[in-house]
Structure formats: structure tokens, C-alpha cells
Amino acid sequence: MMEHGAKVTSINTRLRAVRAFFNFLENKGKIPQNPMKDVKLLNAKRNPIQTFSQEQIQALLNAVDLKTFTGVRDYTIILFLLETGVRLKELCAIDVNDVELESGQVLVRDPKNQLERYVPIGKKMRDQLRKYLKIRGYLETDALFVTVNNTRISRGQVEKRLAQLGKKAGIKGVRCSPHTFRHTFAKMSILNDAGVYELQAILGHQSMEMVRVYVNLFSPEVKGMHKKFSPVEKLLC
């Protein structure tokens, strides 16, 4: 698999599946010896998680032309990604009826595994959605975010628009993509004292693994504690 260019995470996923299968056969007495017993997972080298700064987010918003429909839509999408941390495929799957402005929540669906969850939205996000929906008007499609041709916006179109806006805004050092907004949402939530279980529920993670990564990277407690045990601080005091 490595020779064919498969990623470490993909290889480990397949190894886990094969290992589980042979463990099952061994436990049922179907095989005399488990060939996966001594097969180890590959060490996954995790890439640094990139996030937007507040200045970069503001620059993106300033790059939008609010005099056009696409501008208002893109502006709303940027705020929505930042407010909810939803995945790109989830964003594109949201329907108008999924948005509950009065209760301040949005029903988010994962098209892949059919799981659903409610994600909270604040007053300013609700106000922006009202502005967008008024301009969007009544359409035959149920999709929340649409193109100028009144069709559901695609993942590729969202990625393309964000990349264009990032270039226009002069964003450097970070990829201007929907997933960067997801990371940024996680970072800002943790810095604002969000609980790990609440964050897991909002992000829709099936396990705590990724949430722990976010906490370890962004927790203000970790950064605050460093001031107390920093060797250099102690040495040069």
C-alpha cells in the first residue's frame, strides 16, 4: 500500500479492519494462528493544524462584495462555517427547513453515515441568515445555500469561492478552505472555555481522539501552565 502511495491513516484503517477480522476468526477457533498478531500500525505523523487569525477572518469578510447575491451568500457561508464548525459536505446538505431561527439551532446531517445532530447558532448568525434568506427568496430547491442558477451549491464551488476570496484578501501561511474554518472553530471554542463533550457533540466526532488533539494544542490551561514551569523563564529570572 505504501508503494502505491496510500496515506498512513488509510493504511492503518485497513490494518485495523483486517486485524479485527482475524481476531474474530481466532476467537471462534477458525484458525490455529493469527497472522496479524505481531503486525503493528504505522506511526502516523500528524501535520500541524492551521487556523485563521482574527485579522485573516476579518480580511476575508472585507473581501466579499455585499452588493451581489453571491457576495451575501459567501459572507453568510464564512460566518456559518466559523459559527458551527460543520464539515463541507454537511454545509452543502443543509436545507432551509433545517434552520430553526427562533430556537437558534440548525439540523446538520452527515450524508455519508446518515447521522444527525443539532448545532447551536447565536443571535448575530441568526440575523445574518435572515438577511440571506430574504435575498435568496422562494425557490423550488430546498437547499439553504444555492448558486445564481438556483441549484444547490456544490462542495467544489464552495472550495473555489473560498480560495478566490483568500487570494483576494491576501491570506498567507494558511490554506483558505472549509476545513480550516472547522479547525478555527475548535480553537476559538476551546479558548472560550468550551467543554470537550459539548465540542465533540457540535463537531460530530464519533470519538474523543480529535477533540483531545484540539485541547492539547489550544487549551489556555496548557499555555498558562507553561509560564509556571518554563525552564528559560526560571533560568533568566
Side-chain angles (χ1 to χ4, degrees):
M1 287 187 284
M2 293 178 68
E3 291 175 355
H4 284 83
K7 295 182 179 179
V8 171
T9 52
S10 299
I11 295 174
N12 283 340
T13 298
R14 295 170 185 173
L15 286 177
R16 289 189 185 97
V18 175
R19 190 162 60 181
F21 175 67
F22 279 104
N23 286 341
F24 168 78
L25 294 179
E26 184 181 34
N27 292 334
K28 293 294 184 179
K30 300 294 184 181
I31 55 176
Q33 187 176 358
N34 188 341
M36 293 295 293
K37 184 177 181 180
D38 296 322
V39 177
K40 306 295 183 182
L41 297 180
L42 298 178
N43 290 325
K45 185 177 180 181
R46 190 178 293 277
N47 295 324
I49 293 179
Q50 296 181 331
T51 60
F52 293 116
S53 66
Q54 291 191 7
E55 292 76 16
Q56 288 173 327
I57 294 172
Q58 194 59 58
L60 273 174
L61 293 173
N62 291 340
V64 176
D65 182 5
L66 292 176
K67 296 179 182 179
T68 65
F69 166 75
T70 54
V72 175
R73 181 203 62 198
D74 294 345
Y75 188 90
T76 307
I77 286 176
I78 290 173
L79 292 181
F80 193 88
L81 289 170
L82 188 64
E83 177 79 353
T84 63
V86 295
R87 301 175 179 90
L88 175 57
K89 61 182 177 182
E90 295 171 339
L91 173 84
C92 297
I94 296 174
D95 291 337
V96 172
N97 292 334
D98 296 331
V99 181
E100 301 179 10
L101 293 175
E102 294 304 319
S103 61
Q105 59 183 1
V106 178
L107 178 62
V108 176
R109 299 183 183 87
D110 187 333
K112 184 175 180 179
N113 55 30
Q114 301 301 313
L115 293 179
E116 298 180 351
R117 69 185 187 279
Y118 278 99
V119 174
I121 53 175
K123 182 181 182 301
K124 291 184 179 180
M125 187 70 249
R126 281 179 275 167
D127 290 342
Q128 180 58 38
L129 281 169
R130 287 189 180 97
K131 293 177 183 178
Y132 166 73
L133 287 170
K134 186 175 181 180
I135 296 174
R136 175 191 178 280
Y138 174 79
L139 301 174
E140 291 186 3
T141 178
D142 295 326
L144 174 62
F145 294 112
V146 296
T147 68
V148 291
N149 295 322
N150 299 335
T151 59
R152 185 182 297 273
I153 197 167
S154 69
R155 301 182 202 179
Q157 288 169 322
V158 174
E159 290 176 322
K160 182 178 179 180
R161 289 297 299 165
L162 290 179
Q164 290 173 340
L165 289 171
K167 186 176 182 180
K168 182 179 178 181
I171 304 298
K172 304 290 185 182
V174 60
R175 185 181 175 212
C176 195
S177 71
H179 214 66
T180 304
F181 277 100
R182 185 168 168 84
H183 293 323
T184 304
F185 165 82
K187 177 180 180 179
M188 296 180 72
S189 298
I190 291 170
L191 294 179
N192 287 308
D193 298 325
V196 291
Y197 294 107
E198 290 84 353
L199 188 59
Q200 179 189 14
I202 293 174
L203 289 172
H205 285 301
Q206 297 302 299
S207 71
M208 290 292 292
E209 180 180 358
M210 193 62 206
V211 179
R212 290 193 188 98
V213 172
Y214 286 138
V215 172
N216 289 336
L217 284 175
F218 306 134
S219 175
E221 292 183 7
V222 174
K223 295 179 181 178
M225 287 297 292
H226 181 263
K227 295 179 181 178
K228 297 181 181 180
F229 62 70
S230 169
V232 174
E233 290 291 331
K234 297 295 182 183
L235 180 66
L236 300 181
C237 62

